[in-house]
Amino acid sequence: MGPRLDGWERRLDAVIIEDRPFEWGKSDCCKFAARCIKAMVGKDPSERWQYADEYGAGRVLRKYGGVDGVATFLFGPSKEPLTSNRGDLVMVEAPQRMLGICIGHLVAIQGSHGVEFVPLSSALKAWSI
């Protein structure tokens, strides 16, 4: 994906503060994580996948074996979540499997009404960004 750009922390914070409501293909868990990653490295890892509804998102996820399959396809093997650094991609179960971004001891995820936070200790997998 490439190295993190200068000022990535400020840009990551700006994406998290946007706090958009959930919308398939724009602000679902994968697109939220992709916007965060784009803020850090300058490239949107999800640009190849365009969808506008739950069916379209499901088609992408089924092709790669779920959100963890998509993350592994893009970023390689997962790592132990508790070794995550700020800005790493993390998979949590809240209540279904979702991708989010490590921001320290919390993970920022896309909720139905905006960004929500869950403890990093609840993470299932993580990927270095």
Side-chain angles (χ1 to χ4, degrees):
M1 184 99 290
R4 294 184 188 190
L5 304 171
D6 290 338
W8 68 268
E9 291 162 316
R10 179 180 35 78
R11 287 191 303 281
L12 174 60
D13 290 344
V15 171
I16 293 169
I17 291 169
E18 282 177 355
D19 203 23
R20 300 178 184 182
F22 183 93
E23 184 177 355
W24 288 110
K26 294 185 180 176
S27 54
D28 54 48
C29 79
C30 291
K31 292 296 186 172
F32 168 73
R35 282 196 323 276
C36 290
I37 293 167
K38 182 178 181 183
M40 294 184 287
V41 302
K43 182 165 175 30
D44 178 354
S46 73
E47 66 189 358
R48 71 183 79 205
W49 300 302
Q50 302 302 318
Y51 53 89
D53 56 23
E54 185 175 9
Y55 176 78
R59 205 173 59 238
V60 171
L61 294 177
R62 280 189 298 280
K63 179 177 179 179
Y64 293 94
V67 293
D68 51 336
V70 168
T72 298
F73 172 77
L74 292 170
F75 304 109
S78 63
K79 64 180 186 176
E80 168 59 40
L82 295 179
T83 65
S84 297
N85 295 309
R86 181 171 164 77
D88 283 347
L89 184 64
V90 178
M91 183 178 73
V92 299
E93 195 143 354
Q96 69 278 359
R97 290 187 173 191
M98 304 175 70
L99 295 177
I101 298 294
C102 176
I103 57 168
H105 68 282
L106 296 173
V107 177
I109 60 172
Q110 178 66 55
S112 58
H113 300 290
V115 175
E116 298 175 4
F117 302 93
V118 297
L120 180 61
S121 61
S122 68
L124 304 171
K125 292 184 179 183
W127 294 263
S128 295
I129 303 297

